[in-house]
Amino acid sequence: MTDRPKVFVARQIPDDGIAPIVAACDARIWEDELPPPRATLLDAVRGCAGVLTLLTDTVDDEFLDAAGPQLTVVSNYAVGFDNVDVPACTARGVAVGNTPGVLTDTTADLAFALLMAAGRRVAEGDRYVRAGRWKTWGPLLLLGPDVHGATIGIVGFGRIGQAVARRAMGFGMTILYHDVQRAQAAVEEAYGATFLPLEELLARSDFVSLHVNLTAETTKLINTEKLSWMKPTAVLVNTSRGPVVDPVALADALRRGIIGAAALDVTDPEPIPSDDPLLSLDNCLVVPHIASASRATRGKMAEMAAANLLAGVAQPQQRIPTPVNPEVYDPA
Ligand code: DGY
């Protein structure tokens, strides 16, 4: 018997998070590379006080029923939490934590890397060389748009969108943005950023970078119509969530030259099937959801996720450091 809180950690995360959890809890850690199958997850969370989840684990009423009424915290190892039914957790008094802030710059770094790689055809060039096709220096070989001095349209001007703007400033880019809410004048001024309706932003941008949360409103935000508003040379970068872009519409737009190129860190579905039409297109670059994948950042995310879990299961219960449903502590 142990009076240490029972917790389930749904994947191996860096030691910065595992060590404090193991020290304080009766912890079961899912060691496989792949997520626990649904039935295994539901079984593993039974009787837990806290669960550390990943974006691959759906937390809904079925999960909460399986866990039981003693569950006090779901700590999501991500800044995004579209895998969690937050109202369902709140209704049961379960705090939900995420890992905001620590991955902002790392994610913006990858967004910019994708922007540059897709624009300047880096992956295509690498494939060209490896295929033995490089015969000479060619005046017309693998031409792309300039990044410096181009116009970038940032859709979603929160922490990560603004971090992308900081990088764009270094490249002398004209910065346009769109968001549901216009930023404060001081923020616009700091980045020299111009707020535009989405249609105008898409029409004017050489590069479009997506940084919105996944919600009902942003699902398939970029569809056939929106793609048709973009320049035929434009590069679309998605490091937000896969379903924000309609993949069928995107493949069609890339194939028909409606837009120039796309670079995706996220896809719908994930992982993208190896026979997906997007993967047959040379002007589409895809990487496996690695925007936050620096050693330092994944370590900080682990620390934060552990801190949320441990505060949530503490006796007496503590307020978790970064709740996405603070109302759970202050019911109306
Ligand atoms: C997140 O945190 O939401 C990313 O997608 C993974 O780091």
Side-chain angles (χ1 to χ4, degrees), residues 162-247:
Q162 290 179 27
V164 168
R166 286 197 286 283
R167 285 150 182 78
M169 287 171 80
F171 280 76
M173 297 176 92
T174 298
I175 300 170
L176 312 177
Y177 80 94
H178 177 79
D179 205 320
V180 280
Q181 259 189 326
R182 190 166 172 171
Q184 287 177 347
V187 173
E188 290 188 350
E189 204 177 309
Y191 300 115
T194 305
F195 174 84
L196 284 180
L198 186 57
E199 181 164 3
E200 208 178 322
L201 175 144
L202 294 175
R204 283 176 47 182
S205 298
D206 301 306
F207 295 88
V208 173
S209 194
L210 304 176
H211 302 286
V212 294
N213 292 331
L214 179 62
T215 63
E217 290 70 40
T218 61
T219 298
K220 292 198 170 47
L221 176 71
I222 303 298
N223 55 17
T224 301
E225 184 188 24
K226 309 280 182 20
L227 288 160
S228 76
W229 295 343
M230 292 172 67
K231 295 184 183 182
T233 49
V235 176
L236 176 70
V237 179
N238 189 11
T239 54
S240 61
R241 284 291 184 261
V244 172
V245 177
D246 178 344

Side-chain angles (χ1 to χ4, degrees), residues 55 76-83 98-100 103 107 160 239-241 265-266 270 289-293 297-298 301:
L55 48 85
N76 211 38
Y77 182 72
V79 65
F81 47 87
D82 45 278
N83 57 308
N98 70 339
T99 63
L103 47 73
T107 302
I160 299 174
T239 54
S240 61
R241 284 291 184 261
D265 178 46
V266 289
E270 268 179 33
H289 204 149
I290 53 169
S292 65
T297 289
R298 288 287 167 85
M301 289 168 65

Side-chain angles (χ1 to χ4, degrees), residues 27-45:
R28 177 174 169 205
I29 296 151
W30 184 254
E31 307 272 357
D32 286 13
E33 185 194 352
L34 297 181
R38 183 70 176 169
T40 310
L41 177 68
L42 297 183
D43 198 44
V45 300

